[in-house]
Amino acid sequence: MDSRKVVYLFFTTLLVGSISGAIVGFILEYHVYTEGSFLNLVFGVIWLLGICAAFSLVSQMGFFAYLTIHRFGLGLFKSLKLWNYVQIIIIAFVVFDLIYFRYIAFAKQDETILNYMVMPLLLLGYGLVVAYLKAKDTNKGAFIPALFFIVVVTAIEWVPALTVNDPKWLWLYLTPLITANTWQVLILHRLTKKA
């Protein structure tokens, strides 16, 4: 992959993440950005674009970190099949942790664990869809790495919002992460394909 493609990946990911996050952020607090003067709206949108661009930069760091870890895992386990089993176990632990530890940390007296299952299971379902699309576009060996990246790496990148447990920040932080991660997973093989 040449430098032109790396620059393309960087800026398109930044754009996809910041615009998607800004749209969701605007929808979540529509009244805050539309009340008052026109400048309130302009500065609000600029702030949303900026904060979501920062989140998409976190996504890009996670992507390149995962590419390194994936190569390291292949070298350590000497087999794609064994490395895939390890990734599946880590995916299961992360989904369990997203449910259980958030429940332990934030549940109120009358809340059940079901409330804390929704977002992790949605993330897992979304990861399965993205992994299926990646495997369909490339080969079936790409399914587990794509699922691992979407679920595990996104969850790690999402930790600052998870510790706050504010629904607005959960969605505002997740949206640029998930869209940028999806974009990177689904575009990489097109950029690295030989002409």
Side-chain angles (χ1 to χ4, degrees):
M1 193 156 92
D2 61 22
S3 59
R4 188 176 55 84
K5 290 179 180 176
V6 171
V7 170
Y8 173 80
L9 180 63
F10 174 80
F11 282 109
T12 55
T13 304
L14 194 67
L15 199 62
V16 165
S18 59
I19 289 174
S20 64
I23 290 169
V24 168
F26 187 80
I27 291 168
L28 287 174
E29 293 202 324
Y30 175 79
H31 64 282
V32 171
Y33 300 111
T34 55
E35 66 187 24
S37 68
F38 180 71
L39 282 177
N40 182 52
L41 175 66
V42 171
F43 288 125
V45 170
I46 290 171
W47 180 83
L48 282 171
L49 287 169
I51 196 82
C52 292
F55 299 152
S56 74
L57 289 174
V58 170
S59 163
Q60 292 185 53
M61 287 187 291
F63 184 64
F64 287 105
Y66 174 69
L67 292 177
T68 304
I69 290 167
H70 184 66
R71 284 287 148 209
F72 179 73
L74 287 173
L76 182 66
F77 294 102
K78 307 285 189 213
S79 151
L80 178 63
K81 191 173 184 179
L82 184 56
W83 173 230
N84 279 345
Y85 286 136
V86 170
Q87 290 182 97
I88 290 169
I89 291 168
I90 295 171
I91 291 167
F93 271 112
V94 166
V95 171
F96 173 79
D97 289 350
L98 281 174
I99 296 167
Y100 183 71
F101 288 125
R102 286 189 63 236
Y103 172 71
I104 294 297
F106 300 114
K108 295 179 180 69
Q109 186 101 18
D110 56 342
E111 275 187 308
T112 66
I113 199 165
L114 295 175
N115 296 338
Y116 293 89
M117 293 175 74
V118 175
M119 288 183 96
L121 293 179
L122 284 175
L123 179 62
L124 179 62
Y126 183 80
L128 289 168
V129 170
V130 172
Y132 169 77
L133 293 173
K134 178 71 172 183
K136 193 175 119 182
D137 280 357
T138 56
N139 59 62
K140 63 182 181 179
F143 184 86
I144 298 299
L147 179 63
F148 182 90
F149 177 69
I150 292 295
V151 175
V152 175
V153 176
T154 301
I156 291 168
E157 296 165 346
W158 198 21
V159 163
L162 291 171
T163 57
V164 174
N165 200 41
D166 178 357
K168 178 192 114 178
W169 281 102
L170 286 173
W171 288 109
L172 185 63
Y173 208 113
L174 178 64
T175 304
L177 288 178
I178 201 81
T179 55
N181 284 345
T182 302
W183 172 255
Q184 291 172 108
V185 163
L186 295 180
I187 199 73
L188 182 66
H189 63 275
R190 291 182 175 90
L191 294 176
T192 56
K193 188 167 37 176
K194 301 257 192 275

